[in-house]
Amino acid sequence: MNFNPEWLNEVIERRRSVYQQQYTGERVSDAIVNQMLKNANWAPTHKLTEPWRFVVFTGDGLLRLAQFQAEVYKKVTSNDNSFKEDRYQNLLTKPMQSSHIIAVGMKRDPKKSVPEIEEIGAVFCAIQNMYLTATAYGVGAYLSTGGVTYFEDAKEFLGLGPDDKLLGFFNIGMPNRDMPHGKRKPIEEKIRWIDK
């Protein structure tokens, strides 16, 4: 294998969360989204459980997602008097700004005793693979854990069972400008070497 490590380093450093207000409205190719998902499938996974599950919304599917999540939000928050009209309207309209939205779930395998945190970690590794693929193709993306992510009522619609988890919504769109380099504190502040 003959890889270019400098290219990989650049892709990792250039990865950014690119939000819906930074999208042009241009549709991302389904082929690129499919490649993102193929690369997600190569994430590390303990006992090969492959716990990641994806539901891709695009076209009229975005409207279906918007209506579903707004109604779930209204139903759940009406019970505890925490309903906010502006949040409801946001759930109805914001998905339409993305080219694609991928609901990301973690599916438990009852036959394999893998700690839940390891399964969640595997799914987040899959998400990172999608982020890096998006960056390599010049596509904007970000993971949202807002909306109905933590509402039990949202899981069935997405094919998840009671022991599974909805981990968020991966938004995809064409960025309206080049994304600047990000900022990180020096890695030396976060490492302790023990060599004796």
Side-chain angles (χ1 to χ4, degrees), residues 36-70:
M36 292 166 64
L37 294 164
K38 285 181 179 179
N39 289 350
N41 198 43
W42 286 102
T45 169
H46 189 188
K47 294 190 180 180
L48 296 177
T49 59
E50 302 178 38
W52 41 83
R53 296 296 182 273
F54 306 109
V55 180
V56 182
F57 296 91
T58 191
D60 290 340
L62 291 168
L63 179 59
R64 186 170 171 201
L65 171 63
Q67 292 170 338
F68 167 75
Q69 67 178 1

Side-chain angles (χ1 to χ4, degrees), residues 139-165:
V139 170
Y142 83 99
L143 178 69
S144 169
T145 56
V148 298
T149 299
Y150 302 115
F151 292 14
E152 286 295 312
D153 295 38
K155 294 196 312 191
E156 183 179 352
F157 176 74
L158 299 167
L160 298 170
D163 294 333
D164 305 329
K165 297 230 180 289

Side-chain angles (χ1 to χ4, degrees), residues 13-32:
E13 287 181 22
R14 286 290 194 158
R15 187 224 47 88
R16 289 290 153 273
S17 291
V18 182
Y19 302 101
Q20 289 161 314
Q21 63 269 25
Q22 298 170 306
Y23 296 163
T24 63
E26 179 186 349
R27 194 167 190 282
V28 175
S29 159
D30 287 345
I32 291 174

Side-chain angles (χ1 to χ4, degrees), residues 86-151:
D86 59 335
R87 186 167 179 205
Y88 174 79
Q89 291 301 325
N90 192 43
L91 290 169
L92 272 176
T93 58
K94 200 169 181 185
M96 311 314 292
Q97 297 172 348
S98 293
S99 170
H100 296 71
I101 296 177
I102 303 173
V104 182
M106 183 231 16
K107 188 86 172 160
R108 295 291 279 160
D109 185 339
K111 296 181 213 132
K112 298 184 178 175
S113 58
V114 176
E116 183 181 72
I117 193 165
E118 293 184 23
E119 299 287 69
I120 292 170
V123 177
F124 279 107
C125 286
I127 291 167
Q128 178 71 347
N129 284 0
M130 290 196 297
Y131 259 125
L132 295 175
T133 306
T135 301
Y137 279 99
V139 170
Y142 83 99
L143 178 69
S144 169
T145 56
V148 298
T149 299
Y150 302 115
F151 292 14

